[in-house]
Amino acid sequence: MSSTLFARSFTRRVLQTGLQARVAPQVGAQLGALRFSSYYTPAHEYVKVDGKVGTCGITDFAQAALGDIVFVDLPEVGDEFEKGDSFGSVESVKAASDVYAPVSGTVVEVNEALVDEPGLVNESAEDSAWFVKIEISDDSELGSLMEEAAYKEHCEKESS
């Protein structure tokens, strides 16, 4: 196995560890509570929900594990994804990794700044270095994601 393949495989395993974690409560009738909420996947993607639009990217934990980001591959506006589909990828000096949609929906905006400045992910992964904005097609999927406290605990377990 080449060192590049090994590094990619290792990073994917690190970023996709399937540890059990407490998940967000069922959202059903609590639609109003979803506005301006953040949710996380065990593979270290996030979605910040504002009404029906979710801003998605990789977490600070993920960017730290990857190291210096040198390339970001993003989808096109109008592309549709199901929860768990790969919608892009990131490459670092250490490895490459796919990025998965935390929710189903249609891409309504892409952060073009990352194409020219992929290193922004290392500087501001969960703020200005978001990857895509998705119009969420199924709010109920948010119930299977972790809220901030559960995600923090998940990261602590992975680090130990």
Side-chain angles (χ1 to χ4, degrees):
M1 177 183 287
S2 74
S3 60
T4 302
L5 271 173
F6 174 79
R8 285 182 182 176
S9 176
F10 175 76
T11 300
R12 283 190 184 113
R13 281 194 303 266
V14 167
L15 294 177
Q16 296 175 350
T17 301
L19 297 176
Q20 295 297 318
R22 289 176 283 151
V23 295
Q26 294 301 316
V27 292
Q30 300 177 0
L31 214 42
L34 298 178
R35 192 167 183 82
F36 306 116
S37 298
S38 296
Y39 300 91
Y40 304 87
T41 71
H44 306 288
E45 289 94 10
Y46 69 84
V47 57
K48 292 183 178 183
V49 179
D50 181 1
K52 289 289 288 176
V53 175
T55 301
C56 306
I58 64 170
T59 65
D60 190 56
F61 186 94
Q63 72 78 21
L66 285 167
D68 293 335
I69 306 293
V70 296
F71 178 77
V72 177
D73 180 39
L74 299 170
E76 301 283 326
V77 170
D79 286 352
E80 295 181 14
F81 296 96
E82 294 294 317
K83 179 181 177 181
D85 286 352
S86 173
F87 72 79
S89 63
V90 292
E91 292 184 19
S92 72
V93 295
K94 292 182 186 178
S97 182
D98 287 332
V99 181
Y100 300 95
V103 291
S104 299
T106 304
V107 176
V108 294
E109 191 175 345
V110 174
N111 190 351
E112 297 291 344
L114 299 182
V115 174
D116 295 326
E117 298 182 64
L120 289 174
V121 177
N122 296 114
E123 297 169 17
S124 185
E126 295 182 49
D127 292 312
S128 60
W130 53 272
F131 285 30
V132 296
K133 293 187 179 187
I134 295 177
E135 183 175 352
I136 300 170
S137 61
D138 185 358
D139 292 331
S140 69
E141 292 175 342
L142 296 169
S144 66
L145 300 174
M146 292 178 276
E147 291 182 332
E148 190 170 348
Y151 179 69
K152 182 178 178 186
E153 185 177 312
H154 171 77
C155 292
E156 289 170 355
K157 288 179 182 177
E158 277 197 11
S159 296
S160 56

